Amino acid sequence: MPRIPTDAHAPEPPGNSPDLRETGTDFERLAERALSRRGFVAGGVTFGAAAFVAAAGGPRPLAAPASDSRFGFEPVAANVLDTVTVPKGYRWHVVARWGDPMWSNAAEFDPKTRGTGASQERAFGDNNDGMSLFTKGGRNVLAVNNEYVNRRIAYPSGKPESADDVRKGKAGHGVSVVEIAERGGAWSIVRDSPYNRRITADTPMEISGPARGHDLLRTAADPRGERSLGTWSDCGSGRTPWGTYLACEENFNGYFSSSDPALQIGHAFERYGIGLEDWGYAWAAVDERFDIAKHPNEPNRAGYIVEIDPLDPASTPKKRTALGRFKHENAELVLAANGRVVVYMGDDERGEFLYRFVSDGRYVEGVDNADLLDSGRLFAAKFAEGGRGEWVELAPETTGMASAAEIRIHTRMAASAVKATTMDRPEWVAANPKKAEIYCCLTNNKNRGRKPNKGGDPTPVGGPNPRAGNLYGQIVRWRPDGGDHLAAGFAWDLYAVAGNPAVHSDANAGSRNVTPDNMFNSPDGLAFDSNGMLWIQTDGNYSNEDGFAGQGNNQMLVGDPATGEIRRFMVGPKECEVTGIAWSPDRRTLFVGIQHPGEKGNSHFPDAGDSVPRSAVIAIAREDRGPIG
Ligand code: FEO
Ligand code: CA
Ligand code: CA
Ligand code: CA
């Protein structure tokens, strides 16, 4: 195994600098120190060996004993088992699976047909992703995104072949709002709960905010541009202090196609990946609003954040255009000191951007805050070498675009116009509840330093995107100046650079807090618990071979922001992604999403024998019923 040569210039690893061992230290000073290590990057010197990897035989401070740690568990080893692995003293069980009926008059899941349009409309959706738990009067209601449908699993032939197949596909998408209860020590769906609701690709939505009524949003069915049908490709999530759920539309483009093979695809469609063909869902064959030759404005009505009141099943979800249109990952909401609502958001595509929304209005507890997300300013992040960064407002004056509405519809072009920093696929953003500090997973980007983004913006190696052809990903964090989420400036560093120190001796070994014992790739889901510990979920290469040897299945880890230490808490089943996290009100149950187990045909999770693999929400608890996080 190649080992890493000692490098006298090796700086402190980003997650382990002495400054970070204590809270409340001078982040500016830290950023200045970071400058010197990033000088390596700017200078074109191989990044990782110098900057992030412990020298051979050198100290690995993060392997310190657990006695003083804030982790309440012993780490689990990587594995390739077709089950969930949790630490000693913990247990897990399934709460809800794709196809589980939410009403007692709905059909049970049929593993032969994998359901019909009618059964899916009354059952838990497929590919659960972001989620949040809402509690009212002692009842627990889980809102869960159903990002997409695994066609090779959902359809016995591997693809939709009938109108009912398309109906089933559209119903497998969207959001499941479902009451759950703990009975006999196990959580499960409360069938027929008045809170149960399926939101699908056909559910009526209201379009609100600056783009409402804009010419680009008007269609034959909705000449005023104020109402649309459905949400799909909802990936990560968010929640507001006023009790609503945010579903974030990500890969909305893959559902549109053209009946005219000669249709010219304009720049705006190209930027968002809308083309002549869909990704195999065949929705346009049954529902012509997905045919861009007939309804060219329909794609402009997707790609937003959708606000849903999970405790009012009769409410109409609202597409909040003020937060911009892009491939939304999640929405992390914090309140600024003066009550303004700040939402941090990533656009998950290679070389796209990080965004911040700041509301015009202020949140005041107990009054009507319902439409705070309809009016505000939108910014894109610019990272400089040396650990400094700034938020640049996307306004007509800065972008040259005609209006706030146009900026909200063609947000990617607006951010390109201000030369925001092209990022390595921003996934979930998470705010530290203990201090003004924000983290974001940059999952990977094979095009870094090699290809521009879809808008032609260069993707130079450097700053928070330090590796060419980045296969492993990293977690960037920033602290707003003065601890004020409204500040224009921030200081940033890299909390962790994923890699494989058992295989690589260069930048691909990762940061020092990544070891052969905790290594992972492609961080994606990200959330803080109430103790200020950072939960990291992965959606990466699970081959367990070559550069990924020893990393096993996708997994969930916990990071200590103060020390940089990272421990593996859970390993998912084969071919899954771990995404979505929520806690019960007493924090004794941790809900976690297992998405697309067996996506290539090699899992039977969560059921036994030769069953069809099914995405699921699981519950994890300590055997002693103590709190988790
Ligand atoms: Fe749906 Fe970017 O993950
Ligand atoms: Ca994701
Ligand atoms: Ca991902
Ligand atoms: Ca996914």
Side-chain angles (χ1 to χ4, degrees):
M1 206 62 68
R3 294 304 301 176
I4 300 121
T6 301
D7 188 317
H9 300 291
E12 289 293 331
N16 192 40
S17 90
D19 310 52
L20 289 177
R21 289 211 178 101
E22 296 173 304
T23 54
T25 53
D26 183 354
F27 196 68
E28 297 291 329
R29 190 159 49 85
L30 172 69
E32 279 180 25
R33 291 183 49 178
L35 173 62
S36 58
R37 66 174 174 257
R38 289 195 193 86
F40 283 145
V41 184
V45 176
T46 301
F47 174 73
F52 287 113
V53 180
R60 280 195 175 271
L62 292 169
S67 55
D68 61 345
S69 86
R70 300 166 64 210
F71 297 83
F73 63 93
E74 289 303 314
V76 303
N79 68 56
V80 294
L81 302 173
D82 193 25
T83 188
V84 170
T85 308
V86 292
K88 193 171 50 157
Y90 288 76
R91 288 282 180 267
W92 68 274
H93 65 269
V94 172
V95 179
R97 296 163 297 185
W98 163 53
D100 280 346
M102 291 165 50
W103 289 271
S104 54
N105 64 357
E108 291 293 338
F109 180 76
D110 180 346
K112 283 207 176 59
T113 63
R114 293 102 197 255
T116 63
S119 71
Q120 185 62 73
E121 283 166 356
R122 299 182 68 71
F124 195 73
D126 197 0
N127 276 287
N128 47 273
D129 204 311
M131 61 181 162
S132 203
L133 187 70
F134 298 84
T135 301
K136 186 180 181 185
R139 301 176 79 161
N140 292 295
V141 177
L142 196 61
V144 191
N145 291 344
N146 297 113
E147 189 182 25
Y148 67 104
V149 161
N150 277 82
R151 294 184 303 280
R152 63 174 293 163
I153 298 170
Y155 303 112
S157 73
K159 60 180 196 289
E161 296 184 309
S162 67
D164 192 66
D165 281 350
V166 169
R167 179 181 168 191
K168 178 168 92 173
K170 289 164 86 180
H173 286 72
V175 180
S176 297
V177 182
V178 61
E179 183 176 353
I180 57 173
E182 192 176 22
R183 293 172 284 207
W187 291 86
S188 61
I189 290 175
V190 177
R191 289 188 186 180
D192 306 316
S193 164
Y195 294 113
N196 287 358
R197 180 183 192 185
R198 277 308 323 278
I199 293 167
T200 73
D202 290 313
T203 301
M205 307 264 144
E206 185 176 340
I207 298 169
S208 71
R212 175 184 170 95
H214 190 274
D215 282 351
L216 285 167
L217 266 53
R218 298 179 181 205
T219 65
D222 175 32
R224 296 166 65 93
E226 296 175 348
R227 301 229 147 216
S228 67
L229 286 180
T231 185
W232 58 90
S233 63
D234 294 284
C235 186
S237 57
R239 69 184 294 156
T240 68
W242 50 95
T244 58
Y245 179 71
L246 303 176
C248 307
E249 296 179 339
E250 190 187 28
N251 294 308
F252 66 91
N253 56 310
Y255 300 78
F256 294 96
S257 58
S258 172
S259 56
D260 173 6
L263 185 76
Q264 291 295 308
I265 300 295
H267 168 66
F269 274 11
E270 276 183 357
R271 182 66 188 269
Y272 284 90
I274 296 148
L276 297 177
E277 294 182 6
D278 73 0
W279 292 351
Y281 295 101
W283 289 5
V286 175
D287 184 345
E288 72 166 41
R289 77 188 149 102
F290 291 94
D291 182 347
I292 58 172
K294 293 179 178 151
H295 302 284
N297 280 348
E298 198 65 49
N300 298 330
R301 294 144 62 88
Y304 297 103
I305 284 179
V306 183
E307 186 170 4
I308 296 166
D309 183 348
L311 301 178
D312 180 2
S315 60
T316 301
K318 291 188 174 174
K319 294 202 162 189
R320 299 294 188 186
T321 65
L323 284 75
R325 174 170 168 267
F326 44 90
K327 294 191 179 182
H328 282 284
E329 184 68 22
N330 82 331
E332 182 72 337
L333 193 151
V334 296
L335 292 177
N338 66 5
R340 288 193 206 276
V341 178
V342 178
V343 189
Y344 293 102
M345 303 170 283
D347 180 353
D348 179 11
E349 186 141 18
R350 295 181 192 106
E352 292 296 339
F353 308 113
L354 256 175
Y355 295 89
R356 179 184 72 168
F357 168 84
V358 177
S359 69
D360 289 335
R362 295 157 195 246
Y363 172 75
V364 181
E365 199 171 342
V367 309
D368 181 9
N369 295 289
D371 293 319
L372 276 177
L373 299 183
D374 269 349
S375 171
R377 299 159 72 195
L378 192 60
F379 303 79
K382 236 180 191 175
F383 290 79
E385 297 292 343
R388 290 289 306 163
E390 62 171 326
W391 293 103
V392 183
E393 184 168 4
L394 305 179
E397 311 80 61
T398 57
T399 61
M401 291 167 74
S403 64
E406 191 185 328
I407 289 165
R408 296 325 194 273
I409 298 167
H410 291 148
T411 308
R412 285 182 164 181
M413 286 87 107
S416 287
V418 303
K419 297 194 165 21
T421 299
T422 58
M423 306 296 283
D424 284 349
R425 296 186 53 200
E427 301 250 30
W428 292 46
V429 184
N432 189 334
K434 303 291 191 186
K435 58 163 72 164
E437 180 180 77
I438 316 294
Y439 291 64
C440 178
C441 287
L442 302 172
T443 197
N444 57 51
N445 181 3
K446 66 183 181 186
N447 293 345
R448 171 62 55 187
R450 294 175 180 163
K451 259 175 88 170
N453 70 7
K454 278 205 169 83
D457 303 322
T459 65
V461 172
N465 308 286
R467 289 178 296 192
N470 176 16
L471 294 177
Y472 293 101
Q474 63 270 11
I475 301 174
V476 64
R477 65 178 163 186
W478 63 92
R479 292 180 185 169
D481 289 348
D484 178 3
H485 287 285
L486 305 179
F490 58 84
W492 66 268
D493 76 346
L494 294 173
Y495 172 69
V497 179
N500 191 326
V503 169
H504 297 294
S505 58
D506 61 5
N508 287 323
S511 51
R512 194 183 296 183
N513 54 349
V514 170
T515 72
D517 291 331
N518 72 2
M519 62 183 177
F520 59 96
N521 74 87
S522 306
D524 185 334
L526 198 65
F528 274 93
D529 65 26
S530 57
N531 292 325
M533 296 292 273
L534 183 64
W535 294 71
I536 305 162
Q537 303 175 317
T538 72
D539 169 24
N541 185 309
Y542 44 71
S543 67
N544 204 39
E545 291 175 349
D546 302 326
F548 304 98
Q551 301 194 339
N553 296 343
N554 276 304
Q555 54 189 277
M556 182 165 72
L557 310 102
V558 182
D560 185 335
T563 66
E565 184 180 0
I566 296 171
R567 286 189 183 186
R568 187 181 296 110
F569 178 86
M570 190 199 92
V571 179
K574 283 179 182 293
E575 298 178 359
C576 83
E577 156 187 355
V578 181
T579 184
I581 187 166
W583 280 265
S584 63
D586 64 7
R587 308 196 78 77
R588 287 177 163 75
T589 305
L590 174 63
F591 299 100
V592 175
I594 304 295
Q595 196 191 48
H596 62 71
E599 64 174 355
K600 294 178 180 168
N602 298 305
S603 169
H604 302 290
F605 182 87
D607 304 319
D610 60 356
S611 60
V612 177
R614 295 159 74 181
S615 292
V617 173
I618 65 167
I620 300 174
R622 292 169 63 121
E623 287 171 351
D624 66 8
R625 302 300 290 147
I628 307 175

